[in-house]
């Protein structure tokens, strides 16, 4: 039986399948097909056909999707209603009253997730201690519920002030609504994410309510389509925290899917980190629409608690700290009002796609530039024929007004998009106090290898790793994931004077809830692993850092150890710490893990590893490629014929099944036994007397 990972991106739908019962190279099947934006289910099923997979052969499917993200960004969802405490109707719109652009008098705020006409208030108030200050006004609540019913709204968010302490007023309001709208889908902030700071809690609850119908409809149609095709596979969905959950759970917790797609790439990075014992990585993914970057430490991606998908719209569920920008193969190049060349964030997407796709696109894109420069196979690795002349014509529309040749304009496009990508890398490294020079850049995505060397150079990274499955990395990563749930609760208490038993009791409650979620997703109790963390801060600070907490019964000495650990984490994150200030707990978090798929059975060396026959010939062709204002005749290597220990000097091209790797001048690639390509700067290596520097003998 097959375990299958499928990632539906903005341009391509990728598939990676592992067959435990097959032998040799037959154990792996991959596919990359065009995404079908109008109905992603069609592209999803097309991937099976392309890989030659009968759905009845599949035991487990793990699916990464951007369905929730796209719905939010495009505001394409049945608009929900929001019921909140009197006086807080406009919290979603007011935000934190920060200006995104300090000196821009014409800036416009993003449209709130729920318009003002759909936001309602009722009189109620709980104190910060959970005691009732003002009971819920039932008559007013009934009038609000009846009004919502008259609007025909079925997805509703309820977010009362201070309900992070107690959800009893929200539950009372829910009961009143259900009496009038029995089939309503209702999100309570006290159940969605019971944390202090109302903006994040309100936005996250509104997100859940908005996505209820979108996500439920999509997964239900997908489940029905799979069943009709004869599949009995368990369907899991990739979560923003780097784990997965059953599709039935995802329908109830859709706000946890915001970074579902790129999270698969981080899981692939975790697999490689464990395989190669490489601890510090920056995982990047270049697709058709976007570029994502995430820093990994000790084999895991860093987590953020304040992810903003738009300005002043924080999602406060724990998520991988993935920075995404509009920079991919389909990113459109254009000239701004000042006459400067720009690239992205607009994208040609899958439809119509880059000009060279011949599907109606006419604007110049990054893919067009790579084709014109000779860096891209004109058959896109055998998938379909690219139109070289159309790419030239598209780039000419920029080259002429800029006074550049088509080739120099195309190279300028690549330089700009690579600098943009390097900027995203700095956001996850230097912005969090990590030195890029200590990291290995892991390049994923169909376009990752095309730009990896130049991006690493711009970001100051000296080592690049490109695995054999780079073109379908998010799908591969999905196939290696484990079920994961993060549960949180506000627990504000200074460490000094805190009762350890009180803290233990609060963690135990979260652990019980986490166990229930994992068991509902099919994890046996004995297979569950739990971890504790606390979001802590110095008393008087506004924001927290996640600090590890030991499992089991806590005591006073352990509390002292937790405080010491907090100082260490604070020092790492911000460069300073001080034992002169008191330390407080703010939020408790329990993370639960459970393995469904058998990742230990995936033997990359057996099915994708490089040959040990050093005499094997990997050069399949030669190609004219433009680098730095000159044409070079370069060797094109077939990745499947590379040898363990083989070295390739740039300029050169390495073709994989789903991606292409560009080695400019001074790049040196080495192949390991797993088929991974490790790229370094040859001049740096030569300083140690190891290799000869690149000459220009290949210049045409």
């Amino acid at each position: 039986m097959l375990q299958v990972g499928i990632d539906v991106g903005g341009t391509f739908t990728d598939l990676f399948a592992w067959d435990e019962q097959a032998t040799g190279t037959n154990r792996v099947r991959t596919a990359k097909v065009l995404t079908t934006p109008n109905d992603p289910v069609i592209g999803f099923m097309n991937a099976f056909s392309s890989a030659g997979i009968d759905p009845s052969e599949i035991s487990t499917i793990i699916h990464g999707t951007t369905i929730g993200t796209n719905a939010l960004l495009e505001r394409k969802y049945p608009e929900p209603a929001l019921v909140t405490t009197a006086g807080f109707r406009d919290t979603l719109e007011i935000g934190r009253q920060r200006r995104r652009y300090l000196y821009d008098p014409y800036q416009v705020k993003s449209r709130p997730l729920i318009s003002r006409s759909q936001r309602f208030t009722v009189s109620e108030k709980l104190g910060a201690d959970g005691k009732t200050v003002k009971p819920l006004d039932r008559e007013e609540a009934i009038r609000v519920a009846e009004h919502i019913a008259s609007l025909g709204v079925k997805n509703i968010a309820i977010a009362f002030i201070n309900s992070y302490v107690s959800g009893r007023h929200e539950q009372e309001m829910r009961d009143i609504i259900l009496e009038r709208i029995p089939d309503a889908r209702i999100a309570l902030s006290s159940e969605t994410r019971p944390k202090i700071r109302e903006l994040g809690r309100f936005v996250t609850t509104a997100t859940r309510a908005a996505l209820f119908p979108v996500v439920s409809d999509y997964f239900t149609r997908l489940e029905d389509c799979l069943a009709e095709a004869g599949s009995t596979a368990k369907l899991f969905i990739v979560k923003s925290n780097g784990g997965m959950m059953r599709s039935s759970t995802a329908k109830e917790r859709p706000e946890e899917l915001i970074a579902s797609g790129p999270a698969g790439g981080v899981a692939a990075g975790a697999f490689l980190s464990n395989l190669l014992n490489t601890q510090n990585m920056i995982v990047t993914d270049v697709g058709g629409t976007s570029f994502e970057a995430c820093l990994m430490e000790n084999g895991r991606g860093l987590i953020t608690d304040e992810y903003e998908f738009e300005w002043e719209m924080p999602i406060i569920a724990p998520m991988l700290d993935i920075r995404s920008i509009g920079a991919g193969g389909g990113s459109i190049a254009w000239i701004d009002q000042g006459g400067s060349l720009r690239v992205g964030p607009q994208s040609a997407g899958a439809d119509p796609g880059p000009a060279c796709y011949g599907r109606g696109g006419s604007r110049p894109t990054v893919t067009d530039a790579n084709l014109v420069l000779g860096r891209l196979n004109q058959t896109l690795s055998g998938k379909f024929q690219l139109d070289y002349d159309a790419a030239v014509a598209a780039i000419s529309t920029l080259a002429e007004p800029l006074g550049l040749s088509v080739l120099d304009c195309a190279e300028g496009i690549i330089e700009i998009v690579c600098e943009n990508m390097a900027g995203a890398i700095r956001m996850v490294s230097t912005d969090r106090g990590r030195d890029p020079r200590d990291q290995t850049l892991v390049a994923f995505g169909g376009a990752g290898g095309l730009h990896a060397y130049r991006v690493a150079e711009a970001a100051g990274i000296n080592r690049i790793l490109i695995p054999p499955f780079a073109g379908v990395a998010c799908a591969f990563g999905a196939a290696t994931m484990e079920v994961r749930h993060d549960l949180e609760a506000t627990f504000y208490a200074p460490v000094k004077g805190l009762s350890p038993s009180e803290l233990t009791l609060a963690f135990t409650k979260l652990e019980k809830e986490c166990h229930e979620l994992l068991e509902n997703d099919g994890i046996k109790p004995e297979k569950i692993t739990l971890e504790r963390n606390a979001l802590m801060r110095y008393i008087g600070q506004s924001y927290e850092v996640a600090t590890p907490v030991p499992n089991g019964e806590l005591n006073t000495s352990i509390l002292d150890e937790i405080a010491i650990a907090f100082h260490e984490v604070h020092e790492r994150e911000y460069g300073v710490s001080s034992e002169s200030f008191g330390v407080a707990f703010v939020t408790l978090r329990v993370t639960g893990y459970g393995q469904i798929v058998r990742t230990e059975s995936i033997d990359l060396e057996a099915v994708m590893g490089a040959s040990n026959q050093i005499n094997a010939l990997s050069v399949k062709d030669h190609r004219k490629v433009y680098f730095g204002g000159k044409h070079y005749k370069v060797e094109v290597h077939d990745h499947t014929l590379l040898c363990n220990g083989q070295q390739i000097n740039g300029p050169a091209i390495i073709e994989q099944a789903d991606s292409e790797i560009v080695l400019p001048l001074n790049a040196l690639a080495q192949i390991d036994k797993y088929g991974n390509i490790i790229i370094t700067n040859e001049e740096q290596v030569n300083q140690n007397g190891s290799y000869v520097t690149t000459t220009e003998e290949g210049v045409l």
Side-chain angles (χ1 to χ4, degrees):
M1 297 293 282
L2 295 166
Q3 55 192 50
V4 178
I6 294 187
D7 176 64
V8 178
T11 304
F12 289 104
T13 294
D14 299 338
L15 177 147
F16 180 95
W18 175 259
D19 189 344
E20 293 183 348
Q21 298 172 343
T23 58
T25 56
N26 292 328
R27 301 188 74 174
V28 168
R29 304 186 210 179
T30 64
K32 182 180 281 286
V33 300
L34 285 173
T35 294
T36 49
N38 291 331
D39 187 359
V41 173
I42 296 173
F44 187 101
M45 301 305 293
N46 287 344
F48 290 136
S49 301
S50 179
I53 293 175
D54 184 337
S56 65
E57 301 177 307
I58 304 171
S59 62
T60 308
I61 299 172
I62 304 100
H63 175 27
T65 176
T66 57
I67 189 77
T69 310
N70 293 342
L72 290 178
L73 293 175
E74 298 171 14
R75 302 296 193 270
K76 291 183 177 179
Y77 49 77
E79 189 172 18
L82 170 69
V83 183
T84 187
T85 306
F88 293 88
R89 181 183 184 185
D90 297 316
T91 295
L92 291 180
E93 208 153 351
I94 294 171
R96 301 187 182 102
Q97 301 188 65
R98 296 185 303 173
R99 295 171 64 86
R100 186 173 190 179
Y101 306 108
L102 187 59
Y103 299 110
D104 182 1
Y106 303 107
Q107 60 188 293
V108 178
K109 278 190 148 187
S110 298
R111 182 158 58 95
L113 295 177
I114 304 175
S115 61
R116 197 169 197 273
S117 62
Q118 300 263 102
R119 304 195 299 257
F120 308 94
T121 64
V122 294
S123 298
E124 69 82 36
K125 184 69 179 291
L126 293 177
D129 57 1
K131 295 180 180 179
T132 300
V133 176
K134 180 184 294 185
L136 177 70
D137 188 326
R138 288 189 59 85
E139 291 186 3
E140 191 175 11
I142 289 171
R143 288 195 298 271
V144 167
E146 290 175 344
H147 188 93
I148 293 173
S150 70
L151 296 174
V153 176
K154 299 293 181 69
N155 50 324
I156 302 162
I158 301 176
F160 290 161
I161 195 70
N162 290 340
S163 62
Y164 65 88
V165 183
S166 170
R168 61 181 184 274
H169 282 183
E170 291 187 347
Q171 293 162 7
E172 190 177 348
M173 185 72 222
R174 176 174 59 189
D175 292 341
I176 291 171
I177 291 175
L178 288 175
E179 288 175 4
R180 277 83 189 162
I181 316 173
D183 58 344
R185 299 290 304 278
I186 302 176
L188 304 187
S189 75
S190 55
E191 295 176 358
T192 301
R193 200 55 58 175
K195 296 172 68 174
I196 60 170
R197 303 190 187 97
E198 66 273 11
L199 178 62
R201 184 162 47 86
F202 282 26
V203 169
T204 307
T205 307
T207 299
R208 175 178 284 194
L211 294 182
F212 269 149
V214 175
V215 168
S216 181
D217 175 67
Y218 173 66
F219 290 143
T220 299
R221 287 190 300 109
L222 184 54
E223 291 163 347
D224 291 344
C225 197
L226 287 167
E228 290 173 6
S231 174
T232 58
K234 294 172 287 189
L235 178 61
F236 289 85
I237 311 302
V238 176
K239 299 178 61 175
S240 303
N241 65 3
M244 64 181 184
M245 57 184 164
R246 287 293 291 267
S247 57
S248 55
T249 308
K251 294 175 185 177
E252 302 299 321
R253 308 173 75 89
E255 76 283 356
E256 297 183 12
L257 306 180
I258 303 303
S260 170
V266 180
F271 183 92
L272 289 171
S273 175
N274 181 63
L275 181 71
L276 305 175
N277 195 28
T278 301
Q279 297 302 309
N280 297 329
M281 294 178 165
I282 296 178
V283 174
T284 64
D285 188 353
V286 187
T289 304
S290 61
F291 172 86
E292 281 93 21
C294 180
L295 187 139
M296 301 187 67
E297 287 184 340
N298 301 318
R300 288 187 181 176
L302 295 188
I303 296 291
T304 181
D305 302 289
E306 281 283 324
Y307 174 89
E308 288 193 355
F309 71 90
E310 286 183 9
W311 183 251
E312 293 280 75
M313 293 188 185
I315 303 291
I316 59 173
M319 301 173 66
L320 289 167
D321 189 9
I322 299 173
R323 303 302 171 94
S324 180
I325 63 172
S331 293
I332 296 170
W334 50 288
I335 299 173
D336 66 17
Q337 292 181 343
S340 298
L341 181 62
R342 305 282 293 277
V343 182
Q346 305 92 340
S347 174
D351 187 13
C356 61
Y357 279 18
R359 298 165 61 91
S362 59
R363 302 185 67 183
T365 68
V366 172
T367 296
D368 295 312
N370 276 310
L371 180 61
V372 166
L373 294 170
R375 302 179 186 182
L376 193 60
N377 187 316
Q378 290 196 28
T379 67
L380 206 62
S381 298
K383 291 177 177 61
F384 55 84
Q385 183 68 41
L386 298 179
D387 189 337
Y388 178 85
D389 292 337
V392 171
I395 293 177
S396 295
T397 63
L398 300 179
E400 292 177 6
L402 290 171
L404 298 172
S405 69
V406 169
L407 287 169
D408 288 336
C409 183
E411 194 159 42
I413 291 171
I414 301 303
E415 287 293 308
I416 291 169
V417 78
C418 288
E419 285 291 343
N420 292 344
M421 294 174 186
I425 287 175
R426 296 184 194 101
M427 286 191 286
V428 300
S429 56
T430 52
D431 284 6
R432 293 197 64 166
R434 274 70 169 181
D435 190 338
R437 292 172 296 184
D438 298 332
Q439 311 295 325
T440 294
L441 177 69
V442 184
F444 292 147
L450 286 166
H451 308 99
Y453 187 86
R454 182 65 191 93
V455 171
E457 191 175 49
I461 299 173
N462 302 318
R463 185 172 184 266
I464 302 163
L465 171 66
I466 303 177
F469 52 81
V472 292
C474 286
F476 173 88
T480 69
M481 279 185 167
E482 54 191 357
V483 176
R484 170 174 171 166
H485 288 291
D486 293 286
L487 295 183
E488 298 176 302
T490 292
F491 184 90
Y492 184 82
V495 173
K496 187 176 181 179
L498 174 63
S499 165
S501 60
E502 184 182 356
L503 182 61
T504 301
L505 182 63
F507 269 118
T508 301
K509 181 181 177 183
L510 285 175
E511 288 167 344
K512 181 181 177 182
E513 295 176 17
C514 199
H515 253 277
E516 292 174 355
L517 273 175
L518 290 164
E519 289 178 39
N520 286 339
D521 279 345
I523 305 298
K524 296 180 180 178
E526 64 272 16
K527 299 292 184 180
I528 292 174
T529 301
L530 297 178
E531 290 182 359
R532 294 174 176 175
N533 277 281
L535 302 186
M536 305 177 68
R537 67 189 185 196
Y538 290 112
I539 295 173
Q541 280 187 311
S542 299
Y543 293 94
E544 302 80 47
V545 294
T547 306
V549 175
N551 289 340
E553 191 72 27
L554 303 174
N555 55 43
T556 303
S557 63
I558 293 178
L559 289 183
D560 293 338
E561 292 173 5
I562 294 170
I564 293 171
F566 164 77
H567 293 308
E568 293 173 351
V569 173
H570 199 280
E571 175 81 26
R572 185 172 68 245
E573 291 288 337
Y574 298 110
V576 295
S577 63
S578 173
E579 296 184 9
S580 301
F581 296 95
V583 178
F585 291 94
V586 178
T587 302
L588 307 185
R589 177 187 299 156
V590 169
T591 300
Y593 303 91
Q595 196 73 48
I596 290 286
V597 297
R598 293 183 56 219
T599 57
E600 68 276 7
S601 69
I602 299 180
D603 187 350
L604 281 190
E605 185 178 359
V607 297
M608 290 185 167
S611 167
N612 287 313
Q613 299 178 12
I614 301 300
N615 293 325
L617 298 176
S618 62
V619 178
K620 58 184 288 189
D621 198 359
H622 289 79
R623 192 189 302 167
K624 188 169 69 171
V625 184
Y626 196 76
F627 289 111
K630 298 177 182 178
H631 267 119
Y632 292 79
K633 184 179 180 181
V634 307
E635 295 178 339
V636 179
H637 295 262
D638 184 341
H639 179 268
T640 62
L641 299 178
L642 296 177
C643 306
N644 180 20
Q646 183 174 345
Q647 299 170 7
I648 301 173
N649 295 74
I653 301 287
I654 302 175
E655 289 189 346
Q656 294 180 316
D658 300 297
S659 62
E660 200 149 332
I661 300 159
V662 171
L663 301 176
L665 278 76
N666 297 325
L668 173 67
Q670 294 178 285
I671 316 304
D672 72 6
K673 65 180 181 179
Y674 301 106
N676 295 313
I677 301 169
I678 295 94
I679 304 172
T680 53
N681 184 294
E682 193 174 12
E683 289 183 335
Q684 293 175 338
V685 174
N686 192 49
Q687 291 174 5
N688 298 324
S690 301
Y691 306 110
V692 180
T693 57
T694 303
T695 66
E696 294 195 1
E697 293 177 358
V699 177
L700 295 177

